[in-house]
Amino acid sequence: MKKRLLLIVTAIALILSLAACGGGSSSSKGPAPTTKKSYSFTIGSGHSPAGFPYVSAAQDFFEPEVIAKAAELGYEVTFTEAYGGTIAPLADMFEATASGQLDIGVANSLFEPTKAMLLNYNAYCPFGIDDVATSYEIGTRVYEANKETIDKMLAQYDIKYLGVGIPISSYNLLTQFPVESIADLKGHKIAAAGANLYLLNGIGATGVESNLNEAYTSLQTGVYEGWIVWPNGVNGYKMDEVAEYYGGTLQGKD
């Protein structure tokens, strides 16, 4: 069975882990005169490139870099993009990649609290790191120190880890009410991706598993009253239109 490619990203303030596998699907176009063989890959994500640096990095850097490096070796590589949940939503990226619907899945591991458990270590850390270089270094060292265990976990889904991706930015609270202390969250419904719902334990808030594709409508209709989210997500999905407070402060009036 061919292994599929999976780009795994953890979107907390620490690290985005980029994962992938060994095989992929090759096309039957036949080699061009100057190439040995042609390969075509379908790459996708539950999020869109707009507002999500880990996805835009796959589109703007990963794809052209693979194409260029392959060309240096005499191969032709093309990509068919399926971002924004075109083929699979956030919670189904493992399944879509392992089954071959996607050759490369750009997946946020926070939406896979069980299957990507070992990659969600940062969801259990009390503080994050904003420095990009330090985050990258930590992510690489964590993987190298636990390579055998992580690879074995992903092998269950016919997936192999490729490398470390990019940090996003610090998490904060986006809410429809002011937050001056943890006590202010008691009794409120707060959304998060999945594994990071752990951050709400023991403070009296009700955690709701959700995703940013539905955040605007859910905030607007009262499904929940806030989000654990980073600034890019707020801007990309215009969530500030339905939730006035970020980091406990009225937006634009810090």
Side-chain angles (χ1 to χ4, degrees), residues 148-250:
E148 184 177 349
T149 302
I150 292 173
D151 287 351
K152 184 177 180 180
M153 175 195 73
L154 294 175
Q156 300 175 70
Y157 311 104
D158 199 31
I159 291 165
K160 184 173 176 58
Y161 195 88
L162 176 64
V164 177
I166 61 167
I168 292 182
S169 57
S170 295
Y171 265 149
N172 215 322
L173 278 169
L174 173 77
T175 56
Q176 296 173 323
F177 55 92
V179 178
E180 296 181 0
S181 70
I182 291 177
D184 293 331
L185 294 173
K186 187 174 182 179
H188 290 285
K189 294 177 289 184
I190 306 297
N196 53 348
L197 284 168
Y198 173 83
L199 298 171
L200 296 171
N201 283 5
I203 64 174
T206 300
V208 181
E209 186 171 351
S210 187
N211 67 77
L212 295 185
N213 293 331
E214 62 184 30
Y216 191 102
T217 301
S218 293
L219 283 166
Q220 194 175 44
T221 57
V223 175
Y224 39 72
E225 305 156 86
W227 253 94
I228 298 175
V229 67
W230 63 99
N232 307 74
V234 175
N235 293 333
Y237 282 78
K238 299 181 178 181
M239 296 165 67
D240 56 307
E241 295 180 357
V242 287
E244 294 183 297
Y245 297 87
Y246 192 70
T249 308
L250 191 64

Side-chain angles (χ1 to χ4, degrees), residues 101-152:
Q101 290 178 280
L102 292 170
D103 296 307
I104 304 173
V106 187
N108 191 317
S109 63
L110 288 172
F111 292 96
E112 296 284 0
T114 302
K115 294 177 181 177
M117 178 180 64
L118 297 179
L119 295 173
N120 281 316
Y121 60 88
N122 52 10
Y124 302 91
C125 297
F127 303 103
I129 299 170
D130 290 336
D131 182 73
V132 173
T134 302
S135 296
Y136 183 89
E137 180 185 353
I138 291 173
T140 301
R141 289 169 60 184
V142 168
Y143 171 65
E144 291 299 332
N146 301 277
K147 185 178 186 301
E148 184 177 349
T149 302
I150 292 173
D151 287 351
K152 184 177 180 180

Side-chain angles (χ1 to χ4, degrees), residues 51-62:
F52 292 91
Y54 80 91
V55 184
S56 61
Q59 183 182 58
D60 299 337
F61 178 77
F62 177 78

